[in-house]
Amino acid sequence: MLEVTGLQKKYKEKTVFENVTLQMKPGEIVGLVGENGAGKSTLLELLATVMQPTLGEIELEGFSYTDGFKTIRRLIGYVPQDIAVWEEFTVEENMQFFEKLSWKKHTKEECRQLCVDMQLTQWKEEVRSLSGGMKRKLNLAISLLNDPVLLLLDEPTVGIDLKSKIEIGSYLHNLAKSDGKMIMYTSHDMDEITTLCDRVYSIGKDPFYMDLLTKNEIAVEQLK
Ligand SMILES: Nc1ncnc2c1ncn2[C@@H]1O[C@H](COP(=O)(O)OP(=O)(O)OP(=O)(O)O)[C@@H](O)[C@H]1O
Ligand SMILES: [Mg+2]
């Protein structure tokens, strides 16, 4: 269970959002949509413990973020909007590096299988020689190493080919529905959002997303 109450984030004088309150239950895939600059990445960064809010409370599985991040970070998987992998390492070396940082231990074969699950088979290739979509698949595989309770995905499928997108979508769906993971997902691809997500939060001032989703009878709630 994720509970966010009265979250505010300011960058100096600039208020990105004032009073975000939301909840997620095990097994839910929740979309986060909004115009460029609405605050989607900022909200995910706060949930991922990359930044701290100006005000407000976050609780995950009963653990409060204000009591420290040690336990929280074991429960989270995060794919940032900007790909974060080691360019000069191979896929294998990247997976082994991040596996060492992960609290959950995996064999080399299990690491390779996570990549295959993300439709990435270039195990021995250097990351700098991979395409943008392949790097993103690697970032997704890395985020799963922790076996996270909460998976935070910031535009994870940008540049990923359609077939892989569908396969990854079905893998994520299974993670939520069979294993009870919570997945928060941002994307500018409305088809992807409406196919994958159980419900959606709209963030930002533009009513466009609320109107569009409501018209399409998708459960949507506006965040402040
Ligand atoms: N480090 C920072 N310092 C100052 N302002 C920032 C910083 N990071 C983000 N912002 C501002 O916060 C607002 C929200 O940015 P954010 O990246 O969260 O938006 P977003 O919804 O993810 O947009 P996009 O769809 O383009 O990814 C923007 O106005 C942005 O300029
Ligand atoms: Mg963003």
Side-chain angles (χ1 to χ4, degrees), residues 9-12 14-17 32-45 51 81 154-155 186-188 203 209:
K9 181 63 190 174
K10 285 185 178 179
Y11 293 107
K12 295 197 176 125
K14 182 181 202 165
T15 304
V16 184
F17 41 77
L32 181 63
V33 299
E35 72 270 17
N36 293 135
K40 303 179 295 297
S41 297
T42 301
L43 179 56
L44 291 193
E45 283 170 42
M51 275 194 310
Q81 187 167 349
D154 200 347
E155 303 191 27
T186 83
S187 172
H188 290 292
I203 190 166
Y209 294 90

Side-chain angles (χ1 to χ4, degrees), residues 94-105 145:
N94 264 277
M95 287 303 281
Q96 287 191 301
F97 174 84
F98 286 104
E99 191 272 339
K100 287 206 170 59
L101 295 184
S102 162
W103 74 283
K104 190 160 186 215
K105 292 300 131 202
L145 280 168

Side-chain angles (χ1 to χ4, degrees), residues 43-218:
L43 179 56
L44 291 193
E45 283 170 42
L46 298 178
L47 297 177
T49 75
V50 177
M51 275 194 310
Q52 278 175 275
T54 335
L55 277 178
E57 281 285 328
I58 311 174
E59 243 183 53
L60 179 60
E61 306 292 89
F63 297 102
S64 167
Y65 279 42
T66 48
D67 294 338
F69 294 149
K70 202 171 161 218
T71 313
I72 302 287
R73 284 187 177 146
R74 289 186 165 201
L75 301 174
I76 286 172
Y78 173 49
V79 175
Q81 187 167 349
D82 297 322
I83 294 165
V85 292
W86 296 100
E87 291 277 334
E88 64 277 21
F89 290 178
T90 63
V91 169
E92 176 178 4
E93 287 161 349
N94 264 277
M95 287 303 281
Q96 287 191 301
F97 174 84
F98 286 104
E99 191 272 339
K100 287 206 170 59
L101 295 184
S102 162
W103 74 283
K104 190 160 186 215
K105 292 300 131 202
H106 298 268
T107 64
K108 196 195 269 195
E109 179 49 31
E110 285 167 342
C111 289
R112 202 188 60 81
Q113 187 57 45
L114 273 179
C115 290
V116 173
D117 290 340
M118 293 302 109
Q119 311 295 307
L120 178 65
T121 52
Q122 288 78 357
W123 184 241
K124 293 280 180 194
E125 265 183 57
E126 268 185 29
V127 167
R128 64 176 152 210
S129 69
L130 300 182
S131 71
M134 290 171 186
K135 288 180 194 176
R136 221 169 269 280
K137 290 174 181 179
L138 174 58
N139 232 171
L140 270 161
I142 290 168
S143 76
L144 296 171
L145 280 168
N146 245 354
D147 191 23
V149 165
L150 173 65
L151 195 52
L152 302 162
L153 306 177
D154 200 347
E155 303 191 27
T157 54
V158 169
I160 290 185
D161 64 80
L162 187 57
K163 179 166 171 281
S164 302
K165 239 189 225 187
I166 292 168
E167 302 277 349
I168 292 169
S170 125
Y171 183 93
L172 294 176
H173 182 266
N174 210 35
L175 268 189
K177 303 307 161 191
S178 306
D179 300 349
K181 310 293 189 194
M182 296 181 275
I183 303 178
M184 188 173 277
Y185 192 92
T186 83
S187 172
H188 290 292
D189 181 336
M190 238 350 120
D191 271 350
E192 203 176 293
I193 290 279
T194 54
T195 314
L196 192 61
C197 299
D198 300 308
R199 59 191 179 89
V200 179
Y201 285 117
S202 160
I203 190 166
K205 295 192 173 48
D206 196 333
F208 171 82
Y209 294 90
M210 278 301 286
D211 293 348
L212 182 71
L213 289 160
T214 309
K215 219 176 277 169
N216 286 292
E217 297 179 357
I218 308 289

